[in-house]
């Protein structure tokens, strides 16, 4: 292909400002559609085209009289067609995520997907319903929300900034006047959204503030006119085009401070469409003669004529022209493409392309061309790679790719990442541009979309083109979360919403395809299933969800109480279990609730724990229900310790005893009985003995006995000891420690001689020492059994004796111990030496 | 925090990450802030974020969380940091309700941070307390390693698996910081459950982000030890320096208080103008001397300290025969030497405090009884010593500690012995002892004898009791209890020395719960350099003692070992705190 042919569709709109118009598709609809009878709307980024019959045109009605909306792909393939059964439509357009938005004359906004499935509807404002809607505009804000603005028959303007969360704002009103507004446009910038509105000669800017009064604006228009007929704001909201009834077109900045140009279009009719093509040209379309005028920012013009009606679709980098026969793209020629293909271009890329062509021809000129760009070869290659992205024609693509490949050979160690990426991307772009898919997207749009949430994959997903999407995701090596699993989830959601499919198969198919791939949210799919009224399917799908919290939440919503509880317990997250338990308690009758959770030990115990803090009544009920007698008894005992419940102590202890009896814990029951008996005894005695007042109740058996001894009630103590079967040994301990405590040394000695001590005589020494009486303690030393003698000698401080005994017992450890006491307590070096010699004697003896 | 760095695993990462977490949350509330602390959190949070750091982030006031109303302040935000406990929620609700009525109240914003995480119950409680509109509970502080769980009460007695979940989350958290752990060992039901949860959480996490999966592992192995596998070790009195400080004075968040008497010079003692009767010390490895002696058997500490003292006085005194240059060097080092001298004085005083206790007959008698039990001497009969203790009305905890030890050593008590004990306890300490007993029975610390004598077998097979070990120059981990080697550490030793638990197959069957032996991740470390030590994370589920930690350090210091241990636990325990946490109501 020669350079001349490649640039045949180029035209100049000012210095170095080339534009080009080329065909993307020949339309598959050319047999059935005559655009002039239809009102068309197409989504940006190569989106689908919706058609509805224009009521104002007279045509032969075929079939029913009800309006029909048809949706076509970019290549003119019909996607769907459905009857409009609602109120008349005022305006129809697409949202940024390719949903069809229809604004009805009653102010209702109805949203469909591209397959004609009703999604939802909302009212713009209650105030609207008094008046009719006469016009509406749909716009996409810089924040990438789709907004709707309507004008009512009394010329009030309302706006919803984001159709996802419809919040209506009213605009300030025009100053009163008899004249009706002629045209209006939305100016949506980062900071706020305004409306430009023209009324005959006058131009106003309306704000999102009902009470703001708008002053008239005065654009710098040189030629006389009586009315502004049409206006258009560029996509980035910086540029404004005004068309006057004088046939003049005014171009300038939106704030009206700068004027670019003002030209005569040599037509006085109102154009059907005025659209900015990029930011440097405006395209006007007159329906009368099917003519298209392209006007550059600085006034250059280019006129095209068509055979029949066309529809213009604005894109960020140009416009698409849809006609009965074909689908064209009009855009500014990308700079890098200009550099390569412009006639007489001396850019490196251009030479490289030529070199590559010559090389393929087998011509030696290839070398000459390469020599020309030798120093800029890398730039040349990069230019070719960059330019190829902008091309739709596969032949041109091949040509440029070959050139890049050829150039690459002459550069040592050039990184080929860019080259490889571009080759991959080209395949992807070509695949989606294929007429079967029909998304005529440019690389600029692709990159722009990628930055936003809605990427190309989502476009394919909305078209149910899951397979292609999957292939692309894999081919572009996208991370699973954004790629494969994202697509699969949508596929699964689509699958579950198809009511005619059988549940078992759907669940199985989904599970087979998705498996446990990371990033898959089964609960999302299940939630869709349940919204589609397929509860069983939802429950089945939830089995695959790995995030327990999601799973449990949805199961609860679905009323699947037991499975929710099971899953919550499996997760190990007690928080979740609590959530389920408490939700269930609200939802279920108490009896059912208790029966449900008693089957799950963990749930039961958590509920018990919860009850311990929140509701002791419920706690007891559970223990009774579960025949857990020990727990019941323990609760009673715990209560009996409560200071506030002393008056109930008897009955609580009786209850505890009975519970233990029921649970066949006779030992414990006996203990409770004894405690009861003890309590009564203590009360009695406190009444009888003034000295015991307030001293007994609450004491244990042991301490009561001790108290009796302290009160010198020896006989009573003896009786008490028998009644409560206090073991003899312990009683001995009690006796001697109480005697020692009261410093009854004589009594103590007597007691030691009554009969042979059951606990040995060492304790006698201990109690004496505890009460600081070493002299008394010494008395018992001889009686201490042999094995304890050394220790007790030391205890009372007879170190020398201790050493001797230890020596007699041949106890080296004992000797060492005595020695250690020597050095710390009393610095008796003499003794220490003596012990040393004893030790060596013993050791020698052992040998 | 320099003492935490170094080694293959940088522990300070945890603190940094926790601190950043806290600071991020604070920064979400611009302006002056007051923090209201749940008191039991102030300590652990203090470990990661000192007051100066908080002040840098405009925290001007700090209050403890109490049921009384808050003092008037001019802050913009009031932040409650609390554990999710019912009574605390009650306090918070009260606080907010009263404070909102004060003059400045309407301008303030109230926030609640939960540690370690939101708990649905607490949330539910707050809902019912009608103060929610004023309180934003948007963010949750999650510092998994900080929250100390009370084991085994919640799990064993109340059958509440919350703490298992939190442990699993803590492990996930560690893996996030240090990379996936390729090898896992473990013993016990809780260990198994925790690991199952870890796997589960890992799967959930992998589903949501896959970025970290290629991270390199800093930790080579993890050993999960369920405390219920080895209940006897915490009951045995620890005889290391650090262990004894904990046993006698209690170490909380690396801080211990001692009676002040021992730390005063004689003049100071006379002056008696003392405001406090306790002296607090922060004990961690930043103190070089402490790092040297913390793991030693206490009997070896005295000698070491006096050796150090001699060395220092030699350094200080030997000034005469020095050249000018030597003198210069000496002067430069003087502050260091003096600092060391001060440390030495502190630890000598601490050692004296300890010695007072360890020399007492009570201590020695108890120790003797313990050691007899550990050696299985007369474990089948009621112990006269325990009976004596009961008769003398000694503290219940001490009695129970010995009783539980006897029970485990004899692999359960004979019915008659158990009933005798129970009767004695109830007669002396009152009927409420039954509550404590039933809890101990649930945990398995008190039980009836079964036919197999697990402990007897384990003692032989794992060499749990050792004769003739030196306390001063130990050759075996048994030095930490003088004669007894902690069972848990024997398991860890087996794993690291013999590369697995295979050889212990027969013995492991005697311990409760399943054995874990898995390699969930294929090791990414190609060509593992034999010189770099294997890093082993030992995770005690349900707490561990200082003696156990010392034993692990001892293992890694052995010449033939090439292992670096990192210890993680839910709580540092000793016999007393362990039993208290079980029997408390």
């Amino acid at each position: 292909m020669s350079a001349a042919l490649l640039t045949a569709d180029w035209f100049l709109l000012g210095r170095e400002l080339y534009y080009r118009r080329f065909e993307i598709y020949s339309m598959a609809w050319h047999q059935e559609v005559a655009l002039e009878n239809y009102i068309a709307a197409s989504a940006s980024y190569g989106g689908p085209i919706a058609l509805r019959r224009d009521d104002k045109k007279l045509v032969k009605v075929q079939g029913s009289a009800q309006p029909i909306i048809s949706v076509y792909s970019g290549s003119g393939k019909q996607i769907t067609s459905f009857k409009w059964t609602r109120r008349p439509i005022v305006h129809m357009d697409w949202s940024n995520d390719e949903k069809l938005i229809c604004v009805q004359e009653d102010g209702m906004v109805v949203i469909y997907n591209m397959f004609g499935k009703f999604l939802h509807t909302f009212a713009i404002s209650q105030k609207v319903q008094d008046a009719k809607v006469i016009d509406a505009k749909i716009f996409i804000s810089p924040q990438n929300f789709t907004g709707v603005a309507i004008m009512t028959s009394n010329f009030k303007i309302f706006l919803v900034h984001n159709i996802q969360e419809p919040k209506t704002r009213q605009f300030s009103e025009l100053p009163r006047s008899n004249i009706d507004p002629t045209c209006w446009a939305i100016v949506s910038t980062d900071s706020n959204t305004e409306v430009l509105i023209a009324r005959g000669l006058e131009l106003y800017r309306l704000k999102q503030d009902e009470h703001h009064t708008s002053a008239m604006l005065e654009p710098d228009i040189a030629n006389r006119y009586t009315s502004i007929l049409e206006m258009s704001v560029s996509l980035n909201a910086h540029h404004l085009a005004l068309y006057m009834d004088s046939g003049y077109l005014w171009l300038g900045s939106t704030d009206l401070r700068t004027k670019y140009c003002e030209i005569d279009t040599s037509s006085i009719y109102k154009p059907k469409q005025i659209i900015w093509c990029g930011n440097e040209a405006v395209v006007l379309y007159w329906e009368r003669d099917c003519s298209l005028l392209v006007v550059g920012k600085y006034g250059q013009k280019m006129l095209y004529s068509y055979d029949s009606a066309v529809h213009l679709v604005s894109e960020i980098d140009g416009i698409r022209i849809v006609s009965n026969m074909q689908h064209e793209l009009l855009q500014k020629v990308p700079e890098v493409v200009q550099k390569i293909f412009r006639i007489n271009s001396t850019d490196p890329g251009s030479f490289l392309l030529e070199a590559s062509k010559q090389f393929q021809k087998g011509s030696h000129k290839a070398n000459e061309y390469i020599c020309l760009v030798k120093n800029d070869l890398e730039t040349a290659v990069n230019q070719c790679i960059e330019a190829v992205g902008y091309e739709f024609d596969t032949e041109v693509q091949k040509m440029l790719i070959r050139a890049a490949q050829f150039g690459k050979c002459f550069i040592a160690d050039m990184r080929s990442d860019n080259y490889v990426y571009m080759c991959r991307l080209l395949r992807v772009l070509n695949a989606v541009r294929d007429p079967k898919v029909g998304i005529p997207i440019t690389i600029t749009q692709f990159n722009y979309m990628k930055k936003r949430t809605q990427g190309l994959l989502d476009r394919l997903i909305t078209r149910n083109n899951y397979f292609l999407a999957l292939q692309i995701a894999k081919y572009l090596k996208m991370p699973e979360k954004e790629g494969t699993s994202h697509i699969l989830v949508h596929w699964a959601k689509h699958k579950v919403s198809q009511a005619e499919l059988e549940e078992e198969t759907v669940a199985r198919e989904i599970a087979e395809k998705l498996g446990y791939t990371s990033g898959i949210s089964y609960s999302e799919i299940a939630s869709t299933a349940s919204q589609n009224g397929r509860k069983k399917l939802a429950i089945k799908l939830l089995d695959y969800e790995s995030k327990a919290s999601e799973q449990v939440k949805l199961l609860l919503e679905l009323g699947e109480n037991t499975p929710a509880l099971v899953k919550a317990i499996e997760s190990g997250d007690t928080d979740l279990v609590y959530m389920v338990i408490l939700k269930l308690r609200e939802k279920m009758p108490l009896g059912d609730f208790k029966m449900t959770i008693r089957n799950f030990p963990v749930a039961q115990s958590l509920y018990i724990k919860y009850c311990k803090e929140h509701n002791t009544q419920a706690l007891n009920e559970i223990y009774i229900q579960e025949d857990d007698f020990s727990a019941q008894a323990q609760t009673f005992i715990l209560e009996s310790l409560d200071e506030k419940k002393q008056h109930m102590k008897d009955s609580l202890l009786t209850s505890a005893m009975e519970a233990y009896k029921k649970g066949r814990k006779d030992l414990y029951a006996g203990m409770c009985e004894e405690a009861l008996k003890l309590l009564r005894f203590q009360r009695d005695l406190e009444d009888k003995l003034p000295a015991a007042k307030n001293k007994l109740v609450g004491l244990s058996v042991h301490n009561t006995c001790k108290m009796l001894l302290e009160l010198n009630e020896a006989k009573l103590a003896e009786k008490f000891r028998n009644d409560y079967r206090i073991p003899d040994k312990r009683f001995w301990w009690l006796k001697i420690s109480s005697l020692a405590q009261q410093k009854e040394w004589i009594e103590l000695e007597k007691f030691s001689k009554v009969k042979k001590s059951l606990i040995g005589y060492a304790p006698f020494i201990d109690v004496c020492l505890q009460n600081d009486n070493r002299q008394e303690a010494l008395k018992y030393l001889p009686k201490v059994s042999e094995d304890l003698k050394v220790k007790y000698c030391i205890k009372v401080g007879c170190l020398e004796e201790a050493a001797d005994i230890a020596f007699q017992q041949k106890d080296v450890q004992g000797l060492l111990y005595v020695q250690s006491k020597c050095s710390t307590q009393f610095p008796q070096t003499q003794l220490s030496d003596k012990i040393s010699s004893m030790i060596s004697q013993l050791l020698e003896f052992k040998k | 925090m320099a003492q935490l760095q170094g080694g293959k695993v940088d522990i300070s990462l945890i603190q940094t990450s926790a601190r950043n977490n806290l600071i991020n949350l604070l920064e979400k509330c611009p302006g002056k802030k007051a923090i209201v602390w749940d008191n039991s959190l102030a300590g652990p949070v203090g470990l990661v974020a000192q007051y100066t750091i908080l002040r840098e982030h405009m925290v001007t006031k700090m209050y403890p969380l109490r049921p009384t109303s808050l003092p008037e302040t001019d802050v913009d935000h009031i932040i409650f940091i609390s554990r999710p406990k019912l009574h605390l929620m009650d306090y918070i609700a009260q606080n907010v309700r009263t404070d909102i009525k004060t003059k400045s109240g309407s301008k303030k914003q109230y926030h609640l941070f939960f540690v370690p995480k939101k708990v649905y119950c607490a949330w539910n409680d707050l809902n019912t307390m009608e103060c929610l509109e004023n309180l934003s509970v948007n963010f949750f502080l999650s510092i998994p390693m900080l929250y100390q769980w009370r084991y085994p009460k919640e799990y064993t007695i109340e059958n509440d698996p919350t703490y298992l979940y939190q442990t699993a989350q803590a492990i996930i958290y560690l893996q996030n910081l240090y990379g996936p752990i390729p090898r896992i060992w473990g013993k016990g039901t809780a260990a198994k459950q925790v690991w199952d949860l870890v796997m589960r959480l890992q799967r959930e996490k992998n589903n949501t982000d896959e970025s970290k999966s290629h991270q390199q592992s800093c930790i080579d192995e993890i050993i999960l030890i369920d405390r219920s596998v080895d209940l006897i070790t915490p009951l045995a009195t620890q005889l290391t320096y650090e262990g004894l400080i904990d046993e006698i004075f209690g170490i909380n968040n690396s801080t211990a208080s001692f009676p002040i008497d021992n730390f005063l010079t004689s003049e100071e003692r006379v002056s008696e103008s003392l405001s406090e009767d306790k002296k607090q010390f922060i004990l961690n490895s930043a103190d070089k001397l402490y790092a040297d002696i913390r793991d030693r058997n206490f009997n070896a500490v005295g000698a070491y300290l006096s050796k150090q003292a001699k060395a220092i006085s030699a350094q200080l005194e030997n000034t005469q025969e020095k050249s000018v240059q030597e003198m210069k060097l000496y002067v430069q080092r003087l502050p260091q030497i003096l600092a060391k001298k001060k440390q030495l004085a502190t630890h000598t005083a601490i050692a004296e405090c300890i010695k007072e206790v360890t020399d007492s007959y009570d201590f020695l008698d108890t120790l003797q009884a313990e050691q007899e039990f550990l050696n299985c001497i007369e474990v089948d009969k009621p112990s006269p010593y325990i009976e004596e203790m009961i008769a003398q009305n000694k503290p219940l905890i001490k009695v129970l500690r010995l009783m539980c030890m006897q029970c485990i050593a004899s692999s359960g008590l004979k019915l008659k012995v158990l009933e005798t004990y129970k009767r004695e306890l109830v007669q002396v300490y009152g009927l409420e002892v039954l509550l404590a007993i039933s809890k101990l029975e649930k945990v398995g610390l008190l039980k009836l004898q079964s036919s197999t004598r697990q402990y007897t077998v384990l003692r032989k097979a794992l060499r749990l009791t050792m004769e003739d070990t030196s306390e001063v120059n130990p050759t075996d981990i048994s030095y930490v209890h003088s004669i007894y080697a902690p069972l848990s550490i024997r398991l860890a030793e087996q794993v690291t020395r013999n590369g697995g638990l295979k050889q212990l197959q027969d013995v492991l069957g005697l311990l409760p719960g399943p054995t874990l032996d898995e390699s969930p991740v294929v090791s990414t470390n190609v060509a593992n350099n034999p010189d770099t030590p294997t890093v082993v994370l030992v995770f005690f589920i349900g707490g561990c003692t200082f003696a156990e930690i010392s034993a692990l350090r001892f293992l890694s210091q052995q010449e033939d070992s090439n292992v670096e241990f990192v210890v993680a636990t839910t709580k540092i325990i000793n016999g007393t705190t362990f039993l208290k946490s079980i029997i408390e109501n």
Side-chain angles (χ1 to χ4, degrees), chain A residues 518-519 546-548 571-575 605 609 613-614 634 668 700-703 724 727 730 733 791, chain B residues 86 118-121 125 154 158-160 162 165 197 204 207-208 361 365 388 391 393 422 424 427-428 438:
Chain A
S518 74
S546 62
K547 238 192 188 147
S571 79
D573 185 350
T574 40
D575 222 27
S605 358
K609 196 176 168 192
E613 280 199 11
H614 294 76
Q634 281 164 25
Y668 292 176
S700 67
V701 172
H702 183 85
N703 290 342
Y724 289 85
R730 184 144 52 80
W733 268 105
K791 181 173 162 191
Chain B
L86 175 67
K118 176 185 75 152
V119 167
Y120 185 79
C121 273
D125 294 334
E154 287 193 336
E158 292 168 345
N159 194 14
D160 175 355
T162 308
Y165 187 71
L197 283 174
E204 274 193 22
N207 257 358
T208 41
Y361 289 101
D365 290 345
E388 252 176 52
N393 214 342
K422 281 182 186 169
E424 286 289 275
Q427 281 214 339
V428 175
S438 75

Side-chain angles (χ1 to χ4, degrees), chain B residues 283-562:
Chain B
L283 299 170
N284 59 31
S285 299
D287 175 350
K288 279 277 160 3
L289 184 60
Y290 185 63
D292 278 344
I293 56 175
R294 65 198 295 188
D295 298 327
R296 285 173 195 254
N297 186 295
F298 183 64
N299 282 342
V301 168
Y304 183 84
L305 287 178
S306 63
K307 211 171 91 191
Q308 291 291 316
K310 271 179 205 144
I312 286 178
S313 45
Q315 278 176 317
L316 285 176
E317 279 159 19
N318 193 10
T319 52
Q320 273 147 24
E321 293 142 34
K322 278 194 170 108
S323 68
V324 179
Q325 257 182 353
E326 276 172 333
M327 205 57 198
K328 193 177 161 197
L329 248 158
Y330 169 75
V331 172
Q332 272 172 356
R333 280 177 48 209
L334 200 57
Q336 277 178 320
I337 298 171
L338 288 177
K340 208 169 169 192
K341 193 180 167 194
K342 197 172 158 234
Q343 282 175 354
L344 196 62
T346 306
H347 286 290
T348 311
I350 293 178
E352 273 168 21
C353 292
I354 296 173
K355 198 152 170 55
E356 268 171 35
V357 178
T358 54
D359 277 351
S360 72
Y361 289 101
D362 273 354
F363 183 87
L364 291 170
D365 290 345
T366 308
L367 193 62
Q368 192 190 348
E370 257 181 33
Q371 297 187 343
E372 279 173 13
F373 290 146
L374 287 169
N375 280 316
C376 292
I377 298 169
E378 300 204 335
V379 283
D380 286 337
K381 289 189 285 184
S383 146
Y385 183 67
I386 293 183
E387 284 185 326
E388 252 176 52
M389 283 178 85
I390 297 175
Q392 294 177 70
N393 214 342
K394 290 267 163 69
L396 180 62
I397 285 280
K398 284 194 172 172
V399 176
L400 290 176
R401 187 169 170 178
L402 266 182
M403 205 179 275
C404 292
M405 196 155 185
Q406 184 188 0
C407 177
I408 296 170
S410 63
S411 314
L413 294 167
K414 290 212 163 100
L415 179 67
K416 236 182 105 190
V417 178
L418 192 58
E419 289 201 342
T420 313
Y421 277 156
K422 281 182 186 169
R423 209 173 279 130
E424 286 289 275
L425 285 172
V426 170
Q427 281 214 339
V428 175
Y429 300 98
L431 195 59
E432 56 264 42
V433 175
L434 279 189
L435 301 178
I437 290 175
S438 75
K439 281 174 184 161
L440 293 174
E441 281 180 331
K442 271 195 181 161
V443 178
L445 281 165
L446 280 182
K447 59 184 176 193
L448 275 179
Q449 203 167 57
S450 54
S451 48
T452 47
R453 310 293 294 266
Q454 297 102 331
Y455 180 75
T456 328
V457 181
L458 288 168
R459 186 167 78 100
K460 293 256 160 60
L462 293 175
R463 296 175 299 122
L464 294 183
T465 50
M466 305 287 281
E467 303 287 333
D468 315 321
T469 51
S470 167
E471 290 162 347
V472 183
N473 291 310
T475 52
D476 182 81
I477 52 168
S478 58
Y479 84 94
V480 296
H481 294 288
S482 283
I483 61 142
Y484 166 76
L487 198 164
S488 51
I489 310 305
R490 276 280 189 254
L491 292 180
E493 190 181 15
Q494 186 70 25
V495 170
T496 52
R497 287 243 169 117
N498 301 337
L501 293 165
K502 279 245 168 59
Q503 294 161 8
L504 290 182
Q505 216 70 36
D506 303 340
V507 187
L508 285 174
L510 292 172
L511 293 169
T515 308
L516 278 177
D517 174 0
E518 287 170 34
S519 10
V521 198
V522 183
S523 178
T524 45
N525 295 2
V526 211
N528 209 341
N529 185 354
D531 286 340
T532 54
T534 320
V535 177
V536 179
L537 171 68
V538 184
F539 205 120
F540 293 90
I541 304 166
C544 78
T545 64
F546 281 113
E548 285 177 304
I549 299 174
S550 294
L552 282 176
R553 281 201 202 109
F554 173 79
L555 279 185
S556 66
Q557 279 157 13
Q558 289 315 96
E559 269 173 32
D560 55 340
S561 101
N562 194 19

Side-chain angles (χ1 to χ4, degrees), chain A residues 52-67:
Chain A
R52 73 185 157 96
R53 213 175 56 75
D54 190 344
D55 309 331
K56 291 170 197 128
K57 302 263 169 72
L58 283 174
V59 283
K60 197 173 129 196
V61 173
Q62 290 165 327
S64 113
Q66 265 174 332

Side-chain angles (χ1 to χ4, degrees), chain B residues 182-207:
Chain B
R183 195 79 179 84
I184 144 97
W185 306 95
K187 182 70 193 166
T189 322
K192 171 94 177 101
Q193 282 171 318
V194 163
W195 192 250
D196 286 348
L197 283 174
V198 168
M199 298 309 286
R200 198 194 158 88
L201 287 171
Q202 196 72 53
R203 207 169 65 219
E204 274 193 22
K205 204 172 77 67
N206 281 349
N207 257 358

Side-chain angles (χ1 to χ4, degrees), chain A residues 765-809:
Chain A
I765 299 179
D766 283 326
V767 292
C768 291
L769 289 178
Q770 271 162 25
N771 293 287
D772 304 320
N773 196 333
R774 182 164 171 263
Q775 282 311 313
E776 278 301 317
L778 281 171
K779 283 185 190 168
Y780 302 97
L781 196 55
K783 285 184 165 182
V784 171
S785 64
E786 289 299 309
D787 55 327
L788 292 174
K789 226 161 202 164
V790 176
K791 181 173 162 191
Y792 277 83
C793 283
I794 300 170
K795 265 198 184 179
V796 292
C798 305
L799 291 183
E800 195 149 1
E801 211 176 335
D804 289 340
I805 296 169
F807 183 64
Q808 277 164 29
Q809 292 175 352

Side-chain angles (χ1 to χ4, degrees), chain B residues 183-328:
Chain B
R183 195 79 179 84
I184 144 97
W185 306 95
K187 182 70 193 166
T189 322
K192 171 94 177 101
Q193 282 171 318
V194 163
W195 192 250
D196 286 348
L197 283 174
V198 168
M199 298 309 286
R200 198 194 158 88
L201 287 171
Q202 196 72 53
R203 207 169 65 219
E204 274 193 22
K205 204 172 77 67
N206 281 349
N207 257 358
T208 41
D209 71 338
E210 51 223 292
S211 51
K212 296 247 169 135
S213 54
H214 307 297
Q215 203 179 341
Q216 187 146 34
S217 320
C218 295
I219 301 172
D220 303 300
E221 290 177 25
I222 180 171
I223 303 177
L224 290 172
I225 296 175
D226 179 355
R227 189 74 272 171
S228 64
V229 168
D230 172 20
L231 289 170
I232 197 163
T233 303
L235 296 176
T237 305
Q238 310 169 59
L239 295 175
T240 56
Y241 183 59
E242 191 169 30
L244 276 170
I245 295 178
D246 188 40
E247 294 267 355
I248 299 169
F249 303 103
I251 300 180
N252 279 313
N253 304 315
S254 307
T255 323
S257 321
F258 302 93
I260 202 154
D261 276 358
N262 296 53
F263 298 89
L264 303 172
T265 56
S266 45
E267 304 104 66
E268 281 174 315
R269 219 167 296 180
V270 175
S271 67
E272 271 187 49
S273 58
L274 301 174
S275 49
E276 291 170 278
D277 54 349
K278 293 273 184 197
K279 182 132 177 108
Q280 276 209 340
F281 286 105
I282 292 175
L283 299 170
N284 59 31
S285 299
D287 175 350
K288 279 277 160 3
L289 184 60
Y290 185 63
D292 278 344
I293 56 175
R294 65 198 295 188
D295 298 327
R296 285 173 195 254
N297 186 295
F298 183 64
N299 282 342
V301 168
Y304 183 84
L305 287 178
S306 63
K307 211 171 91 191
Q308 291 291 316
K310 271 179 205 144
I312 286 178
S313 45
Q315 278 176 317
L316 285 176
E317 279 159 19
N318 193 10
T319 52
Q320 273 147 24
E321 293 142 34
K322 278 194 170 108
S323 68
V324 179
Q325 257 182 353
E326 276 172 333
M327 205 57 198
K328 193 177 161 197

